[in-house]
Amino acid sequence: MAAPAMPVAPAAPADTVAWDIVSGLTTEIGQRLAGSEAEARARAWGSQKLQALGFRNVKVEPFTIRGYQRGVDKARITSPVPQMLAVTALGYSGATPDKGIEGELVYFPTLAALKAAPAGSLAGKIAFIDHAMRAAQDGSGYGPYGQVRREGPTVAAQKGALAVVIRSVGTDSHRNPHTGVTSWGAGVKPIPAGAVSNPDADLIGRLAKLGKPVTIALTLTGKTVEGLPSGNVVGDLPGRDPSLPPVLVGCHLDSWDLGTGAIDDASGCAIVTAAALRAQAAGQTLRTIRVLWAGSEELGGFGGEAYAKAHAEPHALAMESDFGADRVWRVQTRFAPADKPLADSIVAALGTMGIVAGRGTAGGGTDVEPVIAAQKLAVVDMGQDGTHYFDLHHTPDDTLDKIDPAALEQNVAAWTQVLEIVANAPAIASVNPPE
Amino acid sequence: MAAPAMPVAPAAPADTVAWDIVSGLTTEIGQRLAGSEAEARARAWGSQKLQALGFRNVKVEPFTIRGYQRGVDKARITSPVPQMLAVTALGYSGATPDKGIEGELVYFPTLAALKAAPAGSLAGKIAFIDHAMRAAQDGSGYGPYGQVRREGPTVAAQKGALAVVIRSVGTDSHRNPHTGVTSWGAGVKPIPAGAVSNPDADLIGRLAKLGKPVTIALTLTGKTVEGLPSGNVVGDLPGRDPSLPPVLVGCHLDSWDLGTGAIDDASGCAIVTAAALRAQAAGQTLRTIRVLWAGSEELGGFGGEAYAKAHAEPHALAMESDFGADRVWRVQTRFAPADKPLADSIVAALGTMGIVAGRGTAGGGTDVEPVIAAQKLAVVDMGQDGTHYFDLHHTPDDTLDKIDPAALEQNVAAWTQVLEIVANAPAIASVNPPE
């Protein structure tokens, strides 16, 4: 039996655009917390970089945000035995006094257990939510486990807790806690809210089982600050027909402040930018390809909202890269029924690289969802392997050494294939998003 | 062809002694820095534990040490761009003022390059030694790479450096620096000496290549303190013939302070203690088995020296476990020529577990080497797999979750086999150590 013929993917021209962007952003800028002076330097760096790469109409589009400025983060067990804890404040945490607070820890194995605690039962105490995340290739654990971080602090505050500490929303076993934003329910006064690393959460769990009261001292002095400057960086690679709406490819420029934002999301900006250029390497595409390096994604998607508001002009389709730098293993799309041939050609092209078609529907991502919703845009989601993403996400460990250059190149090659198809499509219909 | 018959290792009785020790020390004590109040609590815990397990003549044998008390450890790049660094002081580091120091960094790829720098060329500057360790199964990299930490600070001080920062002596890629002791040459005034994590060292290397001056701000306020209390914990499982010299099995009770000393060296104490008990499970051994949980190993082997000084009575043989909790893969011995049959029976017994005989000669380890040298003792080295040991060694990541219970049990089973042989040997000759 003859082996089935394997179509050969088009040869990709070798270039270092993607690596130069991840290396440059992490080395020459480093952390780029939303609203910070470092994020402003990153915008200047990004603007200069896009111009140097030949993008046109490169603009910084400013907006302001409610920001979070980290202070001192410290935690330790004070009873039954002294033990140091590796802790980080969550974004928008309430602040402790400079000298910290101390309280008895109340142990909850899950968010559901915390929700079941009687009203007022946490008065003067520190709630601990010990809900260990499991890794998944498609990142699907971030929905339910991430809820501990997003909703847990509000639930603890509503039950009178002095403060709340969670097990990091992460899948590694290092003493590097995972930060991330929490949100406070309407009328809820923020309380200090932190996350400890997985090994520290394990320790707290073992101490809780000893049957003696566990007390914890917590210092989290960061502050929520209104009206901080942020902004998007936008640039175009003009197409042959400027009357056709552009294809938008997004990523985010800001990062959490504990690491240097290599996989979250310098790699996303590297991938979309390098692929946009490479899609034009064989000749100018029909449509303009626009890159959006969004600001302030981490604190709540401010950049994506600002872009949609500032850009009411029609777009053809949107895509985003914001899930690390590991290989694309799956593609999902959302096209109008009339554009099924377009969807099929994308699946066929990526199939030559071993990328499978998923059964779900594409959504976009935080930076492009507002414009997708406003304009009912077609979407393509390039599903990256997320098995190890939450080992690094929002930790001090999000650094350049975690990026495999070969995997980064696979992303650029896959994105290039898709951009060559969609940016040369004469018509792309709008599409109603799922209810 | 028939498969060769595989001898069956004796069935080990199931027990939780080893796990209880690693779990107890890391949970109920945590870090046990030499000379600290925590190390004193660990001695009390160990003494109680050995008595509860049936050891006799359990004693705490006190001594005093030159200790190191950690202060504030902070470092950041101040130019060409601000970047935070994950840093730890080395043991016996000189102290900076509380407000820290700042200086231009001088980059050295290796210790040899630092040694080649002209005298006085580092005046007012901060030396950086960027020598990346490679992993090795037998841990042999710790000799040459560890020299950067042991000797580098003295060399930098001798050339006039304001301070010295090294790439961690470690093989991981996490933002957790590796501490460890340095030593100062005769007449050398200590300067502040720290280690940054591997990703931070990578970053410094990239910044150094940008061609602009790199400046670093460093705060390391720890202090060297004389006369701190420490001590060994010693206990016996008496043999049938009390007139025969005992077999000594050692480990160390102290740990570095960044983690909780799970693999360095709670696991060693767990292995030797559980194996000593299990070797007597089938009936009392001929010789006494003595366990030594040594204090203050990390700061320079104080416990082993104190033991040798306090115990001039004859010993038969010594062994130590201080290389983590991964599986034993190799055994090496040092016996007098007349005891070759004893060495052969150990190799044969361990061969049934897939453990190979190494070509080198056994040395013992820091906690037992002084008594080995003083009494010319026979030695057996149980070589653990060290491929991942220096991912964790002396870092915040040395925590209980890193221990695989099955690997820990394999250690106990292998040690039990050896102790059953040597503690039942009627005669063990003294042996001249190699020149």
Side-chain angles (χ1 to χ4, degrees):
Chain A
M1 190 175 96
M6 175 65 79
V8 176
D15 68 63
T16 62
V17 172
W19 187 259
D20 290 348
I21 290 172
V22 285
S23 177
L25 273 173
T26 54
T27 307
E28 296 166 38
I29 308 293
Q31 72 84 14
R32 312 172 288 283
L33 185 65
S36 69
E37 174 272 336
E39 196 201 24
R41 277 188 288 113
R43 285 193 292 281
W45 188 97
S47 171
Q48 209 164 24
K49 172 61 87 176
L50 290 177
Q51 288 177 61
L53 289 170
F55 283 77
R56 306 290 175 83
N57 311 320
V58 176
K59 277 180 281 199
V60 171
E61 301 181 339
F63 52 86
T64 61
I65 64 162
R66 166 184 279 193
Y68 178 76
Q69 295 178 334
R70 192 173 299 280
V72 172
D73 293 347
K74 284 197 303 193
R76 63 195 160 89
I77 299 288
T78 51
S79 178
V81 292
Q83 293 260 19
M84 299 306 299
L85 298 173
V87 73
T88 175
L90 301 181
Y92 299 135
S93 169
T96 67
D98 287 351
K99 67 180 172 58
I101 57 173
E102 187 170 356
E104 187 177 336
L105 184 143
V106 184
Y107 179 89
F108 296 101
T110 60
L111 179 58
L114 172 66
K115 287 180 178 176
S121 62
L122 296 179
K125 297 183 175 172
I126 298 177
F128 174 67
I129 317 174
D130 188 18
H131 204 166
M133 187 182 193
R134 297 283 170 256
Q137 188 179 13
D138 67 356
S140 53
Y142 196 44
Y145 292 107
Q147 204 58 12
V148 173
R149 190 190 78 214
R150 294 179 213 109
E151 189 184 2
T154 285
V155 176
Q158 284 169 334
K159 292 181 189 287
L162 181 63
V164 57
V165 175
I166 65 169
R167 179 189 280 268
S168 281
V169 181
T171 50
D172 63 301
S173 60
H174 300 288
R175 299 287 297 289
N176 291 318
H178 298 237
T179 190
V181 78
T182 192
S183 59
W184 301 99
V188 175
K189 186 164 179 276
I191 58 175
V196 294
S197 81
N198 275 315
D200 291 277
D202 294 345
L203 175 65
I204 292 172
R206 296 197 304 275
L207 288 169
K209 280 192 189 144
L210 294 179
K212 297 175 193 163
V214 177
T215 59
I216 184 170
L218 188 66
T219 305
L220 302 173
T221 63
K223 299 272 190 302
T224 295
V225 182
E226 302 288 344
L228 292 180
S230 186
N232 294 326
V233 181
V234 181
D236 290 344
L237 288 180
R240 297 194 305 276
D241 184 347
S243 75
L244 286 175
V247 167
L248 179 68
V249 294
C251 62
H252 67 87
L253 183 56
D254 67 308
S255 76
W256 273 104
D257 56 339
L258 301 178
T260 58
I263 66 150
D264 190 13
D265 184 29
S267 55
C269 292
I271 291 162
V272 304
T273 305
L277 285 163
R278 203 179 289 177
Q280 289 212 340
Q284 197 178 11
T285 51
L286 179 64
R287 291 174 189 272
T288 294
I289 302 175
R290 175 173 295 172
V291 299
L292 163 62
W293 291 17
S296 296
E297 188 271 349
E298 294 292 3
L299 290 180
F302 291 94
E305 295 288 350
Y307 179 85
K309 209 166 153 187
H311 292 274
E313 74 275 13
H315 294 67
L317 175 144
M319 300 173 64
E320 175 179 307
S321 180
D322 184 18
F323 197 51
D326 277 347
R327 283 174 168 72
V328 176
W329 67 283
R330 181 174 77 174
V331 60
Q332 298 188 137
T333 62
R334 191 163 86 213
F335 282 101
D339 285 331
K340 185 167 184 303
L342 211 47
D344 291 345
S345 68
I346 289 170
V347 167
L350 295 178
T352 67
M353 298 179 70
I355 295 166
V356 298
R359 295 177 181 199
T361 184
T366 305
D367 301 309
V368 295
E369 274 164 6
V371 70
I372 288 169
Q375 302 192 8
K376 302 184 174 182
L377 298 183
V379 191
V380 180
D381 280 353
M382 305 291 273
Q384 292 167 291
D385 190 326
T387 309
H388 298 292
Y389 183 67
F390 290 103
D391 291 353
L392 306 170
H393 180 247
H394 296 188
T395 74
D397 265 341
D398 183 0
T399 48
L400 182 62
D401 53 294
K402 307 309 183 304
I403 296 182
D404 171 1
L408 187 71
E409 168 58 29
Q410 188 262 13
N411 273 272
V412 176
W415 272 75
T416 300
Q417 298 239 16
V418 176
L419 291 181
E420 283 174 347
I421 293 168
V422 296
N424 286 308
I428 302 178
S430 68
V431 52
N432 284 315
E435 291 301 308
Chain B
M1 189 175 92
M6 175 66 77
V8 176
D15 69 61
T16 62
V17 173
W19 187 259
D20 291 348
I21 290 172
V22 286
S23 177
L25 273 173
T26 54
T27 306
E28 296 166 37
I29 307 293
Q31 71 84 12
R32 311 173 289 284
L33 184 64
S36 69
E37 176 273 336
E39 196 201 22
R41 278 190 286 113
R43 284 193 293 280
W45 189 97
S47 173
Q48 209 165 27
K49 173 58 92 177
L50 290 176
Q51 289 177 61
L53 288 171
F55 283 76
R56 306 290 175 81
N57 312 319
V58 175
K59 279 181 281 203
V60 171
E61 301 181 340
F63 52 85
T64 60
I65 64 161
R66 165 184 281 193
Y68 178 77
Q69 296 177 333
R70 191 173 301 281
V72 171
D73 294 345
K74 284 197 301 191
R76 64 195 158 88
I77 299 288
T78 50
S79 178
V81 292
Q83 293 261 19
M84 298 306 299
L85 298 173
V87 73
T88 176
L90 301 181
Y92 299 135
S93 168
T96 68
D98 287 352
K99 67 180 172 58
I101 56 174
E102 187 170 356
E104 186 177 336
L105 186 143
V106 184
Y107 180 89
F108 297 101
T110 61
L111 178 58
L114 172 64
K115 286 181 177 176
S121 62
L122 297 178
K125 298 185 174 171
I126 298 177
F128 175 68
I129 316 174
D130 187 20
H131 203 166
M133 188 183 192
R134 296 283 169 256
Q137 188 179 12
D138 67 356
S140 54
Y142 195 45
Y145 293 107
Q147 204 59 13
V148 173
R149 190 192 77 216
R150 293 179 214 109
E151 188 186 3
T154 285
V155 176
Q158 284 170 333
K159 293 181 189 288
L162 181 63
V164 57
V165 175
I166 65 169
R167 177 189 281 268
S168 281
V169 180
T171 50
D172 64 300
S173 60
H174 301 288
R175 298 286 300 287
N176 291 317
H178 297 238
T179 188
V181 78
T182 192
S183 60
W184 300 100
V188 175
K189 185 163 180 279
I191 57 175
V196 295
S197 80
N198 275 315
D200 292 277
D202 294 345
L203 174 64
I204 292 172
R206 296 198 304 274
L207 287 170
K209 281 193 190 142
L210 293 180
K212 298 174 193 163
V214 176
T215 60
I216 182 169
L218 188 66
T219 306
L220 302 172
T221 63
K223 299 275 190 301
T224 295
V225 182
E226 301 289 342
L228 292 181
S230 185
N232 294 325
V233 182
V234 180
D236 289 344
L237 289 180
R240 297 195 304 277
D241 185 349
S243 75
L244 287 174
V247 167
L248 178 69
V249 294
C251 63
H252 67 87
L253 183 55
D254 67 307
S255 77
W256 274 104
D257 56 338
L258 302 178
T260 59
I263 66 149
D264 188 15
D265 180 32
S267 56
C269 292
I271 291 161
V272 304
T273 305
L277 285 163
R278 201 179 290 178
Q280 289 212 338
Q284 197 178 11
T285 51
L286 178 65
R287 293 174 189 272
T288 294
I289 303 175
R290 175 173 294 170
V291 300
L292 163 62
W293 292 15
S296 297
E297 189 271 347
E298 294 293 3
L299 289 181
F302 291 94
E305 295 287 351
Y307 179 85
K309 208 166 154 187
H311 293 274
E313 73 275 12
H315 294 67
L317 174 144
M319 300 173 64
E320 175 179 307
S321 180
D322 183 18
F323 197 51
D326 277 346
R327 283 174 169 73
V328 177
W329 68 282
R330 180 173 77 173
V331 60
Q332 299 189 135
T333 63
R334 192 164 85 213
F335 283 101
D339 285 331
K340 185 168 185 301
L342 209 50
D344 289 346
S345 67
I346 289 170
V347 168
L350 295 178
T352 67
M353 299 180 69
I355 294 166
V356 300
R359 296 178 181 197
T361 184
T366 304
D367 301 310
V368 295
E369 275 166 4
V371 71
I372 289 169
Q375 302 192 6
K376 301 185 174 181
L377 298 182
V379 192
V380 180
D381 280 353
M382 306 290 273
Q384 292 167 290
D385 190 326
T387 310
H388 299 291
Y389 183 67
F390 291 102
D391 291 354
L392 306 170
H393 180 249
H394 296 186
T395 73
D397 264 342
D398 182 0
T399 50
L400 182 61
D401 53 294
K402 307 308 183 305
I403 295 182
D404 171 1
L408 188 70
E409 168 58 28
Q410 189 263 10
N411 274 270
V412 175
W415 272 74
T416 299
Q417 299 238 18
V418 176
L419 291 182
E420 284 174 346
I421 293 168
V422 296
N424 287 307
I428 302 178
S430 69
V431 53
N432 283 316
E435 291 301 309

